[in-house]
Amino acid sequence: MLNNVGYLFFWGLFFFSCALEKKEFDNPVDFQANNDQGVKAPTVVFYPLIQTKTLLDSIFIESFLVFKEDSIESFSGIHLQINMPSNLLKLDTITPGIFITDTNQTIPLFNYSYDGVNKIDIYAYFLDTLKYNIEGTGQIAKLVFISEAIGIDSIYYNLEECELINFNDSIININGKRSAKIIIE
């Protein structure tokens, strides 16, 4: 009888002492998680959602285009306008994302402009003679910033200036965006 009480005490202590940690997952191409947060597809999102860095660290951010599985549309060009906190960050580098370079097995026309303060415009167009467009969800660009001051702010898309087009130059509506929060300590 004493052994049974000991076992019950041990298992009770074990069971009630375990705390389950709530995990925060950050999958940029999970349209359902984005939808649950009010970010409707097709959408443009940044990954990672939140970063904490120290002064003069490099900050790597990825830009993604996310469609819902049942409403994927073919597109042949994209313009993204990104606003960044110029008091915290300095733009270092922008490179094409793996989705737009590997999907067509060609390198698209990829260019960007930076106003020197806080606005970045990214342009990617597919000029292939055999395949006019691509479809799917994936990484459009990789951005690298250098932290310059301590503080908290966000990098975000200006949806009024963002544009997604098909090969007939018809606009595909972008319905949502997700910003990236940067914490510099």
Side-chain angles (χ1 to χ4, degrees):
M1 175 76 172
L2 192 53
N3 271 346
N4 289 341
V5 173
Y7 284 122
L8 284 174
F9 177 74
F10 171 75
W11 286 110
L13 182 63
F14 177 75
F15 180 74
F16 290 109
S17 67
C18 294
L20 295 176
E21 182 179 333
K22 184 179 179 194
K23 296 282 186 185
E24 292 292 328
F25 296 104
D26 182 21
N27 179 355
V29 296
D30 184 351
F31 68 86
Q32 186 59 49
N34 289 331
N35 192 46
D36 291 346
Q37 295 177 15
V39 180
K40 305 292 183 198
T43 187
V44 285
V45 301
F46 286 117
Y47 175 81
L49 181 60
I50 300 172
Q51 284 189 67
T52 302
K53 296 288 185 172
T54 58
L55 201 56
L56 301 178
D57 273 352
S58 292
I59 298 166
F60 300 91
I61 298 204
E62 300 172 30
S63 173
F64 284 84
L65 175 63
V66 181
F67 282 97
K68 193 172 179 179
E69 289 175 337
D70 63 353
S71 63
I72 292 176
E73 294 190 49
S74 299
F75 68 97
S76 60
I78 189 166
H79 167 226
L80 299 175
Q81 188 174 86
I82 299 168
N83 289 24
M84 58 175 264
S86 61
N87 60 330
L88 291 182
L89 303 175
K90 179 176 99 178
L91 180 63
D92 184 36
T93 310
I94 298 177
T95 57
I98 195 163
F99 174 63
I100 61 173
T101 55
D102 282 358
T103 303
N104 253 356
Q105 298 301 317
T106 62
I107 297 175
L109 173 62
F110 183 87
N111 197 5
Y112 69 90
S113 65
Y114 174 52
D115 70 356
V117 182
N118 69 340
K119 185 171 46 172
I120 302 164
D121 287 285
I122 296 175
Y123 304 91
Y125 298 98
F126 304 96
L127 304 174
D128 197 325
T129 56
L130 299 176
K131 187 170 181 177
Y132 300 117
N133 50 40
I134 63 172
E135 58 184 45
T137 291
Q139 182 191 64
I140 301 297
K142 296 181 269 186
L143 299 94
V144 180
F145 299 94
I146 304 296
S147 60
E148 293 201 309
I150 295 173
I152 300 172
D153 211 330
S154 293
I155 296 173
Y156 62 93
Y157 296 99
N158 179 2
L159 270 189
E160 292 177 8
E161 297 296 324
C162 292
E163 190 173 62
L164 187 62
I165 60 170
N166 65 19
F167 74 94
N168 290 324
D169 211 20
S170 298
I171 293 176
I172 301 168
N173 290 328
I174 299 174
N175 296 324
K177 65 179 180 176
R178 188 181 86 171
S179 302
K181 184 176 181 180
I182 307 296
I183 303 166
I184 311 295
E185 299 178 330

